[in-house]
Amino acid sequence: ILCLSLSDSHSTDFEVHRNWLAITHSLPLSRWYYENSSEWTLDYPPLFAWFEFGLSHVARRFDPDMLDVQRLQHRSPPTVLFQRLSVVCSDLLLVFATRECCRCVREQKPSRDLLKRPSFILAVLLLWNFGLLVVDHVHFQYNGFLFGVLLLSVAKHLQSRHLQGALLFAVLLNLKHIYLYVAPAYGIYLLRSFCFTQDNTDSSVRWSSFSPARLAALGVIVTSVCVVSFGPFVLLGQLPQVLSRLFPFKRGLCHAYWAPNAWALYNVLDKTLVTLGVRLKLLQEAELPKASMTGGLVQESQHALLPSISPSVTLVCTLLSVLPAALSIWLRPRGARGFLRCLVLCALGSFLFGWHVHEKAVLMAVLPLSILAVESREDAGIFLVLATTGHYSLFPLLFTPAELPIKILLMLMFTLYSFTALTSLFSGHGSLLHPLEVVYLLGLVVVAIACEIVYPLTPWQQTLPFLPLLATSVYCALGVCYSFVRLYVILLRQEVKSKQL
């Protein structure tokens, strides 16, 4: 990891975080969320701004010039070294969180061979996760640190330390608000299984067991964290400005590279219908609004034939997609593992139907699913499909020829280990994958060869540069949607078994 972290490859996120270091170090608090000298303005919650502020005091010992707000695109070797090392050091929290999660793993048949134990396999799946290596150490971000907080929170709930888990999640939300995706799972679970202390014989909630003291404790925890995070900006009268930075709805339905979700399929359906309509002379091309989803830009766009999607529509779709999972842990709670399954479904539902979703957000489902994958054969099969598909969808993040062998090698190593380790763990119980799933995953190899090797050699590379991204996004979206449906099938099957009992 250290060798990768010190590579010379640069992404726009280097400048994003360098600029945030400069803003928090060189400017007064009152200007943090107003500074716009760079296009990469501060758009994370205040706790992450304080995190950058702390890093900036170490950064000045490497290169003080990186803390000058006006030095845009400053990328001296000491600056790159510091930023790479900061990711490596912050990942220590991920290591600790992984240790805590591994201590919670249920082992059906304890093995004397350390390498075949579910806890060891989980440690590798979390710490050597291809997606985290790519987005943090080869690209550049702090997702390992943030996922460390999430996994530590999950581990605390698995250990029945619910107040600690709630505190950690409140901190996480104030570090990066994308984790609102999984907030429904936390809210429903804590209310149902912590604030209500007893169930009826049929597993329904016993309303008389409600504990106002426990609800108050949760309220104090969440409020305290938010006061520490947002309090200074509320006192400055800047809360609307901060919120406008956190929720920039004018960025459009999809990112420049479409995340492999339902809206990628919706966009392609719109394009396909228009193309067929024009060729069959059912539509006049000149009369159609010009759609711009394949422009490769972060911007508002409209569909040519299908209804254009607004933020409110994505919100409704997202809430509907996670509602069955939330109802499940309310009506028939299954402890912390039921909460964990709901968390994965909330993360995946939000990924599929959310507004302006980044491709990296698929990791929010992949990493927690790793815990379920080492305990259940069915979950292991879904994990293999989702992780392989989701990880391959990150390939466009590394687009230079020099990075091609790196991403291929890293993904092959992780994927081969995942398949061999999980197959060995559940040996004797049949194949983890259905034949059609195997065919679909082999299709990723064809897509990879076509997009990464063949297409750059064709003349279409100049005229249709977005086509490989579109093909990657759409093909991977099929696998992500399929995994979401499979997870719900398992949930519904559990509901049927519970009712029969």
Side-chain angles (χ1 to χ4, degrees):
I1 294 176
L2 185 59
C3 292
L4 288 174
S5 69
L6 300 180
S7 69
D8 291 331
S9 63
H10 295 143
S11 71
T12 56
D13 286 308
F14 269 98
E15 175 59 17
V16 171
H17 289 279
R18 184 217 60 81
N19 185 54
W20 292 358
L21 288 171
I23 289 173
T24 56
H25 186 86
S26 304
L27 300 179
L29 183 70
S30 59
R31 292 182 56 192
W32 284 8
Y33 283 92
Y34 282 92
E35 169 58 36
N36 59 2
S37 298
S38 167
E39 61 179 311
W40 312 115
T41 54
L42 183 58
D43 57 6
Y44 273 32
L47 274 193
F48 196 88
W50 289 114
F51 171 71
E52 295 274 9
F53 176 76
L55 288 179
S56 71
H57 285 78
V58 182
R60 67 180 180 180
R61 298 182 180 275
F62 283 76
D63 183 1
D65 288 342
M66 80 169 82
L67 303 176
D68 186 344
V69 176
Q70 301 304 319
R71 285 183 176 268
L72 303 182
Q73 305 299 329
H74 180 77
R75 288 179 178 173
S76 67
T79 298
V80 174
L81 174 63
F82 166 76
Q83 290 186 271
R84 290 295 194 188
L85 288 176
S86 67
V87 174
V88 175
C89 292
S90 65
D91 271 358
L92 293 176
L93 181 60
L94 175 63
V95 175
F96 177 71
T98 298
R99 173 180 173 272
E100 292 299 300
C101 287
C102 290
R103 292 173 60 185
C104 302
V105 171
R106 295 174 179 171
E107 299 192 15
Q108 302 294 336
K109 296 179 180 179
S111 174
R112 293 183 179 180
D113 187 350
L114 174 64
L115 301 182
K116 294 183 178 180
R117 291 181 181 176
S119 56
F120 178 83
I121 296 173
L122 176 61
V124 177
L125 293 181
L126 292 177
L127 295 178
W128 190 248
N129 180 274
F130 167 79
L132 278 182
L133 289 175
V134 167
V135 300
D136 278 9
H137 298 280
V138 184
H139 196 60
F140 179 81
Q141 284 188 0
Y142 292 96
N143 291 285
F145 162 67
L146 296 167
F147 277 118
V149 181
L150 175 65
L151 292 174
L152 189 56
S153 173
V154 169
K156 294 304 178 184
H157 287 302
L158 292 172
Q159 298 165 3
S160 297
R161 300 176 180 178
H162 300 300
L163 289 179
Q164 294 181 31
L167 173 62
L168 287 165
F169 184 66
V171 169
L172 181 62
L173 280 181
N174 282 273
L175 284 169
K176 192 170 183 179
H177 53 302
I178 193 175
Y179 290 95
L180 283 169
Y181 283 180
V182 297
Y186 273 88
I188 299 297
Y189 173 66
L190 287 170
L191 181 61
R192 177 65 176 84
S193 299
F194 180 71
C195 294
F196 287 93
T197 59
Q198 294 179 352
D199 293 339
N200 294 317
T201 55
D202 61 353
S203 297
S204 62
V205 61
R206 179 173 294 180
W207 296 99
S208 61
S209 69
F210 176 72
S211 172
R214 291 192 172 192
L215 180 62
L218 290 175
V220 169
I221 287 173
V222 174
T223 302
S224 299
V225 174
C226 290
V227 167
V228 171
S229 177
F230 286 91
F233 300 96
V234 172
L235 293 176
L236 290 170
Q238 295 183 358
L239 184 59
Q241 173 65 17
V242 175
L243 294 178
S244 70
R245 286 283 182 89
L246 298 184
F247 301 100
F249 290 114
K250 292 185 177 181
R251 288 186 177 181
L253 174 65
C254 296
H255 198 242
Y257 160 55
W258 301 346
N261 61 12
W263 304 127
L265 300 178
Y266 188 84
N267 291 345
V268 168
L269 178 60
D270 181 68
K271 291 286 186 182
T272 303
L273 291 175
V274 168
T275 301
L276 289 175
V278 170
R279 290 192 176 184
L280 295 175
K281 298 183 179 180
L282 299 174
L283 299 172
Q284 297 296 324
E285 187 173 7
E287 298 177 359
L288 294 171
K290 186 177 180 181
S292 55
M293 286 86 67
T294 55
L297 302 174
V298 177
Q299 60 183 8
E300 291 184 279
S301 59
Q302 60 179 345
H303 294 86
L305 191 60
L306 296 177
S308 293
I309 304 299
S310 66
S312 58
V313 170
T314 63
L315 177 61
V316 171
C317 291
T318 300
L319 292 177
L320 290 176
S321 72
V322 305
L323 183 60
L327 285 175
S328 174
I329 60 172
W330 174 265
L331 297 174
R332 205 173 298 275
R334 298 179 180 83
R337 279 167 177 77
F339 152 72
L340 181 56
R341 186 173 299 280
C342 179
L343 184 151
V344 173
L345 283 166
C346 285
L348 211 49
S350 300
F351 178 81
L352 286 173
F353 299 103
W355 177 265
H356 196 76
V357 174
H358 285 236
E359 64 285 341
K360 300 178 283 292
V362 73
L363 298 178
M364 203 179 302
V366 172
L367 289 168
L369 183 58
S370 304
I371 302 173
L372 297 174
V374 299
E375 295 184 343
S376 162
R377 187 184 71 84
E378 278 193 296
D379 289 322
I382 297 173
F383 172 82
L384 292 177
V385 175
L386 179 62
T388 305
T389 305
H391 288 163
Y392 178 73
S393 73
L394 301 176
F395 263 39
L397 288 178
L398 308 179
F399 51 85
T400 65
E403 292 169 326
L404 179 61
I406 294 176
K407 62 185 181 183
I408 291 177
L409 178 61
L410 287 177
M411 180 158 179
L412 279 177
M413 291 172 61
F414 179 83
T415 304
L416 289 175
Y417 176 81
S418 300
F419 273 80
T420 55
L422 291 176
T423 300
S424 175
L425 182 61
F426 296 103
S427 60
H429 298 278
S431 175
L432 297 180
L433 298 175
H434 301 301
L436 288 179
E437 293 172 343
V438 174
V439 172
Y440 170 79
L441 292 179
L442 290 176
L444 282 174
V445 178
V446 178
V447 173
I449 294 174
C451 294
E452 302 288 342
I453 299 174
V454 177
Y455 195 81
L457 303 177
T458 68
W460 294 338
Q461 174 68 18
Q462 302 299 323
T463 56
L464 298 171
F466 195 76
L467 191 57
L469 299 180
L470 186 149
T472 300
S473 178
V474 170
Y475 194 84
C476 292
L478 297 174
V480 176
C481 291
Y482 171 80
S483 300
F484 183 66
V485 172
R486 279 286 310 277
L487 284 168
Y488 259 124
V489 168
I490 293 178
L491 183 67
L492 293 175
R493 191 179 299 150
Q494 290 177 345
E495 286 290 333
V496 172
K497 287 182 179 179
S498 297
K499 290 179 180 180
Q500 291 176 345
L501 295 176

